[in-house]
């Protein structure tokens, strides 16, 4: 699709953060771990998700430690070449300049080894690349970082062009996130900047800005952090954890489950569980719930149902936290979810049957089992047919309050189990699913026949 | 994807078939209808499916009748420009030559108004286009057409280059299907051919072939017919009807249902039913089946189930026969299929419950309802995740004989109803669905982890 797409990245990893320990350390701060993954590996993996396949990493301080950790990049699925910069202490511009002969392409992405950012930021930057312009990821929420005073400020005009940037800028409307797409222009700008005694990337970027050759790419609500001190590591960790939940959660997930799945995710990460292992635990818990309902223990069945729903939020969080998302993992998760739903509802059905239910109560169970997977199936079909993802948050409108998405259905069965109102819960699931299905069919019909555009999210990795 | 894709088509519609009536007719033979759609409209719509958006139609005999039928093309979703050729009686090469100033592009597809062909043939021709080569769709099954003596013969070498072509060729291995992709080269070849007194497209194509500038694109099992006499219209009609069934049918569909759905499709076409109306009839029949089971009439329920299964094969046939396939139609059909399955199984379940079933019998019904839609859901997920379609025929292997695809499941319920063995039928559905689901999960896991390629079919229109 994008011809000439940026596929090469430079990571500036030469400098030691002056404030990290107050002294030269044998380790490199970019090797500090966030949720078990070193900062620099997070950078490499985030850029890989954005389509960067080949890296030039500029080394200086603690070069051997970085080289040992990253190797040739094969473990991370990329190719890494190293450049050592002797002048790194002068500034990160000297580091970038040292990469100039190692680059194969005319356009490349430049990142700082000691920044943490959501993987969607480099993706957005690369998608915004056009016409050989130089680009800088900028954050218009100027108090979003831990230490705005220390950040590089940016003044962006209405057209999106950057007019000025610098740490000391007094009139500004955005912050520099430390992610650039540069053409080779930047090396000329660096030379001019060096001649004036400024060895920073900002110096050269400021020169490009003055000449009207640097554009801003707004990161919107996406978050990042310049990790140059102990407190900022903790800030980055908090932001990372907050960034993990899926952005298309149902109401129950958002208001309740996520608060409980986040600690579970952290434990799972600490234990080294893979996302597929977490999916399997959620499935086993659902199977337990079904069996408990069937054995006439609706209270335990209901609690296990909700537990399974909460754990199920964790597999995606673990996958995103550790860059372990996979095609197979996504497929397995969605299948296990459907099977879980079937097992829980079947258990509830057996509970009702053993209590001497009428045939019409059985019919309600049949309807719940048949209808509950269909709204997801319809979303899949829509995406296959149109190429656009159906986004519940944006497109379901008021129907979201039916609580007929998976989190809502399982919550109803939880309540039904706890208050021994199983038939009411199953009826709620059946009715909600049928109404949501009908609602979606009508919405899709309208969109397909009026050509109402459906917004697209960047594809999940 | 394909840069410089061929998007312009020329349809040669000037000449009157000499053998159609034995005399000049006020009508044009390309206005003869096949299953209710005039031959020339079929040509336009088939080329539109292949990505052709702009047409130049060359008129001669009965020009007004054609112009009145097709108009500016808006009704068919394309743009049509007309060229009148005064010399059309000399040969179809004269017609093609007349189009030369009306063409906007350097490469274009050329079709004969009086040929019928499966829409996949022009699609394959355009997908085969590369490097500015001239292409001819060729059929290596040399006795596949009604009158091979009258056909233009082609000699293709091992590399796929055409060495010679002509009606009188004695050494040949393929037939000319009358569909070309030409570059503007062809006009020079036509001029040389005219100078030698030959005014046919074949004459110019033969010259290109002699110079090694014409390649064959094998149509494989796809069918076509040169409709120049009454008998060939009937042959084309038979081929069209045989081409309508889906190529990824289950065993019961292939061996039984298709024999019965074809006549139903013809009736539906004659009655002017839309594909969506046929889907709705199949759904209503399934609903009737469910109600009949529930009311304690398994014989009627079973027969209605099979009837619904047969009618369900018709909506796609009607859509393909009349170029009425739509995104919405496909989505509606797949949703109604799942709802139908749910209704029939729920009806069978109520029948069992009202007969005083045990809780474990209810469990079998739950399993059947939960598992039967999942194999399709898994196929959808696989396609969303990998971009390749999961093809049951090619990828399910021996699992196809489980009869757990939809046609097999409904057939089991038909037998269960007729022989009053409803529990056995539902158990068969539940078990078959679960085994097929597990089998597909394993197959998909293997393909995703060994990188076994999954073949892709041209996307359905």
């Amino acid at each position: 699709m994008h011809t000439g797409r940026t596929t090469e990245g430079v990571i500036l990893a030469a400098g030691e953060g002056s404030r990290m320990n107050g002294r030269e350390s044998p380790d490199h701060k970019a090797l500090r771990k966030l949720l078990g993954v070193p900062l620099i590996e997070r950078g490499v993996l985030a850029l890989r998700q954005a389509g960067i396949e080949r890296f030039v990493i500029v080394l200086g301080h603690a070069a051997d430690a970085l080289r040992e950790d990253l190797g040739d990049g094969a473990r991370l699925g990329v190719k890494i070449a190293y450049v050592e910069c002797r002048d790194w202490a002068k500034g990160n511009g000297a580091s970038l300049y040292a990469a100039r002969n190692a680059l194969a392409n005319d356009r490349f992405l430049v990142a700082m080894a000691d920044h943490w950012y959501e993987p969607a930021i480099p993706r957005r930057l690369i998608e915004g690349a056009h016409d050989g312009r130089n680009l800088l990821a900028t954050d218009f929420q100027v108090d979003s970082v831990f230490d705005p005073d220390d950040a590089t400020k940016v003044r962006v005009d209405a057209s999106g062009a950057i007019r000025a940037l610098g740490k000391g800028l007094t009139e500004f409307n955005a912050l520099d996130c430390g992610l650039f797409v540069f053409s080779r222009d930047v090396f000329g700008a660096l030379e001019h900047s060096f001649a004036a005694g400024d060895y920073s990337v900002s110096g050269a970027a400021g020169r490009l800005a003055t000449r009207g050759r640097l554009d801003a790419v707004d990161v919107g609500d996406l978050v990042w952090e310049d990790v140059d001190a102990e407190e900022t590591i903790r800030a980055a960790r908090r932001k990372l954890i907050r960034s993990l939940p899926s952005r298309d959660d149902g109401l129950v997930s958002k208001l309740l489950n996520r608060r409980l799945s986040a600690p579970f995710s952290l434990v799972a990460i600490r234990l080294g569980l893979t996302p597929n292992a977490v999916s399997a635990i959620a499935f086993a818990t659902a199977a337990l719930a079904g069996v408990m309902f069937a054995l006439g223990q609706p209270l335990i069945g209901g609690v296990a149902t909700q537990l399974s729903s909460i754990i199920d939020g964790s597999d995606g969080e673990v996958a995103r936290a550790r860059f372990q998302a996979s095609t197979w993992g996504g497929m397995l998760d969605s299948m296990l979810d459907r099977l879980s739903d079937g097992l829980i509802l079947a258990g509830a059905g057996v509970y009702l049957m053993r209590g001497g239910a009428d045939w019409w109560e059985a019919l309600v169970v049949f309807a719940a089992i048949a209808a509950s997977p269909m709204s997801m199936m319809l979303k899949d079909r829509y995406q296959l047919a149109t190429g656009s993802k159906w986004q519940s948050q944006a497109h379901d409108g008021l129907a979201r309050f039916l609580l007929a998405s998976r989190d809502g259905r399982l919550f109803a069965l939880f309540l039904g189990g706890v208050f021994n109102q199983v038939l009411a819960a199953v009826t709620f699931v059946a009715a909600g699913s049928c109404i949501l299905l009908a609602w979606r069919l009508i919405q899709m019909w309208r969109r397909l026949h009026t050509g109402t555009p459906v917004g697209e999210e960047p594809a999940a990795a």
Side-chain angles (χ1 to χ4, degrees), chain A residues 99-316:
Chain A
R100 72 193 180 288
N101 295 323
L103 288 165
N105 296 304
D106 290 339
R107 283 169 71 70
F108 41 86
L109 190 144
V110 175
M112 311 298 151
D114 56 1
H115 279 42
W116 171 80
Y117 34 85
E118 275 193 80
I121 294 184
R123 207 154 59 206
R124 191 174 291 187
L125 196 63
I126 283 176
E127 280 162 3
H130 60 99
D131 310 334
R133 304 281 296 176
N134 298 294
L135 301 175
L136 169 59
T138 51
D139 189 345
F140 287 85
Q141 298 174 39
V142 290
D143 45 8
S144 67
V145 290
F146 183 79
D147 185 1
D149 288 344
D150 190 50
T152 304
K153 286 86 178 172
V154 181
R155 187 160 70 243
V156 185
D157 72 14
S159 75
I162 294 176
R163 313 297 288 183
L165 97 176
K167 276 204 179 177
L169 212 62
T170 49
E171 247 184 84
F172 62 93
N173 52 359
L175 301 179
D176 164 351
C177 307
L179 276 164
F180 297 86
V181 169
F182 278 133
S183 61
R184 284 188 170 270
D185 287 1
V186 74
F187 297 117
L190 281 167
E191 285 163 7
H192 281 103
S193 196
F194 296 169
D198 182 345
Y199 285 83
S200 68
V201 173
S202 301
R207 275 163 205 273
L208 291 172
T210 313
R211 286 191 272 139
R213 304 219 358 92
L214 185 65
D215 287 347
V217 172
D218 181 6
V219 305
D221 286 331
L222 300 171
V223 291
W224 60 285
E225 189 69 57
D226 176 359
V227 184
D228 63 356
E230 280 303 325
E231 316 87 72
T232 52
I233 284 224
R234 285 193 293 274
R237 189 169 182 279
R238 279 193 301 274
K239 285 184 181 176
L240 168 55
I241 291 169
R242 274 208 308 274
S243 77
L244 295 177
S246 156
R247 297 195 182 234
D248 207 24
D249 268 347
L251 289 177
V252 174
S253 271
K254 189 172 249 166
L255 300 177
L256 176 69
N257 296 3
R258 286 295 173 196
R259 290 165 212 272
L260 302 162
S261 68
F264 184 88
S265 300
L266 293 181
V267 172
I269 289 166
R270 188 144 307 168
L271 293 175
L273 296 180
T274 64
N276 289 349
V278 175
S279 300
I281 294 172
F283 174 69
T285 311
L288 174 74
V291 170
M292 283 298 153
F293 272 117
L295 292 178
Q297 301 290 340
L299 176 64
I300 306 178
V303 172
T305 296
Q306 184 59 18
L307 208 57
S308 172
S309 179
I310 289 164
I311 298 172
D312 183 55
S314 270
D315 51 8

Side-chain angles (χ1 to χ4, degrees), chain A residues 79-114:
Chain A
K79 285 189 178 149
I80 297 178
Y82 295 97
V83 169
E84 291 216 27
C85 174
R86 276 196 258 171
D87 299 334
W88 63 267
K90 287 186 181 170
N92 60 3
S95 292
L96 175 55
Y97 195 71
R100 72 193 180 288
N101 295 323
L103 288 165
N105 296 304
D106 290 339
R107 283 169 71 70
F108 41 86
L109 190 144
V110 175
M112 311 298 151
D114 56 1

Side-chain angles (χ1 to χ4, degrees), chain A residues 382 386 441-454:
Chain A
Y382 183 85
T386 66
L441 268 171
I442 293 167
Q443 294 301 318
M444 288 177 184
W445 184 86
R446 283 182 49 200
R447 276 172 200 275
L448 288 170
H449 286 81
T450 58
T452 309
V454 170

